[in-house]
Amino acid sequence: MRCMSTPTPRRAPAGAAVLREDVTEAIRAAVFEELAAVGFARMSIEGIARRAGVGKTAVYRRWKSKLALVLDLVGAVAAQGLPAPATGSLEGDVRALLTVASHALRHPIASQVIPELLVEAARQPEIVEPVRTALLDGQEGVVAQIVREAVARGELPEGTDPGRALDLVVGPLYWRLVVVRTDLPKGYVDDLARAAVAGLRTLPPGA
């Protein structure tokens, strides 16, 4: 009678089947270096992989294209340090948001890549929504909370539109730092916070 051998347990996949965090971080660091060296338009997956010391497949396992990779990084930078302020007043919250947003927009990857992404979005309508999501999603949530709390305190009327509030608060900052690309003069954030709050209070509900 033939003896039945015990099946050998299958080994869990290792190495290539696992997305190692150290490799992911090396790729992200390489993206910053590649962007600084050649810009978004000339950046390639091959160049990123070479700088990171990995194969192209390691990059493609994590991101399907260089656009997806850069959008991921830009989204992380745009949302970096954007917890909802809790100063107890509308003007204080707006000033705190503008202070953090101004630092984020002056980050090297933001100042260099955002204008290039906007150009790419003009050329490729299919990426307009991903670009918008990467740049604005975190800020929209923060501004919506600021508006809700200001309404609860009686500083803004019911029905104040968070989308219009985002335009008034952050729009001038994007224009100055991303489009015109000039530095902020002394006192600019304080002046903008006061002007934005004044504008918010004059908005008709639902506008």
Side-chain angles (χ1 to χ4, degrees):
M1 187 173 176
R2 190 171 60 179
C3 293
M4 301 294 290
S5 60
T6 304
T8 302
R10 296 183 65 182
R11 295 178 63 185
V18 178
L19 295 182
R20 290 169 45 191
E21 187 59 29
D22 60 330
V23 173
T24 302
E25 288 307 312
I27 293 170
R28 288 190 174 121
V31 173
F32 280 90
E33 294 172 8
E34 190 76 355
L35 283 169
V38 303
F40 175 76
R42 294 174 57 202
M43 185 180 79
S44 67
I45 295 296
E46 290 83 357
I48 292 166
R50 188 165 52 249
R51 283 183 185 273
V54 301
K56 288 191 296 182
T57 35
V59 182
Y60 282 118
R61 279 194 199 103
R62 292 160 173 82
W63 299 277
K64 64 182 181 180
S65 67
K66 74 170 187 177
L67 178 65
L69 199 168
V70 171
L71 285 174
D72 181 36
L73 289 185
V74 170
V77 169
Q80 195 175 56
L82 275 180
T87 67
S89 73
L90 175 59
E91 187 172 323
D93 286 353
V94 168
R95 185 184 299 107
L97 173 61
L98 287 171
T99 299
V100 174
S102 67
H103 288 305
L105 290 172
R106 281 180 284 195
H107 188 286
I109 192 172
S111 61
Q112 182 171 337
V113 178
I114 289 176
E116 294 189 54
L117 286 178
L118 295 176
V119 170
E120 288 299 314
R123 292 174 181 160
Q124 305 178 58
E126 67 274 14
I127 74 168
V128 169
E129 188 58 29
V131 169
R132 192 205 72 80
T133 298
L135 295 178
L136 294 179
D137 263 15
Q139 294 175 55
E140 284 179 334
V142 171
V143 170
Q145 184 166 335
I146 289 173
V147 168
R148 282 195 302 272
E149 292 180 357
V151 169
R153 289 192 299 261
E155 293 184 271
L156 288 176
E158 289 280 354
T160 297
D161 180 7
R164 192 66 63 87
L166 181 64
D167 293 344
L168 281 171
V169 174
V170 182
L173 208 56
Y174 265 85
W175 173 260
R176 187 102 191 193
L177 294 176
V178 177
V179 181
V180 181
R181 303 190 77 170
T182 58
D183 204 4
L184 303 182
K186 186 177 180 179
Y188 180 86
V189 168
D190 289 339
D191 292 343
L192 181 56
R194 284 190 291 270
V197 168
L200 286 171
R201 286 174 172 154
T202 61
L203 278 178

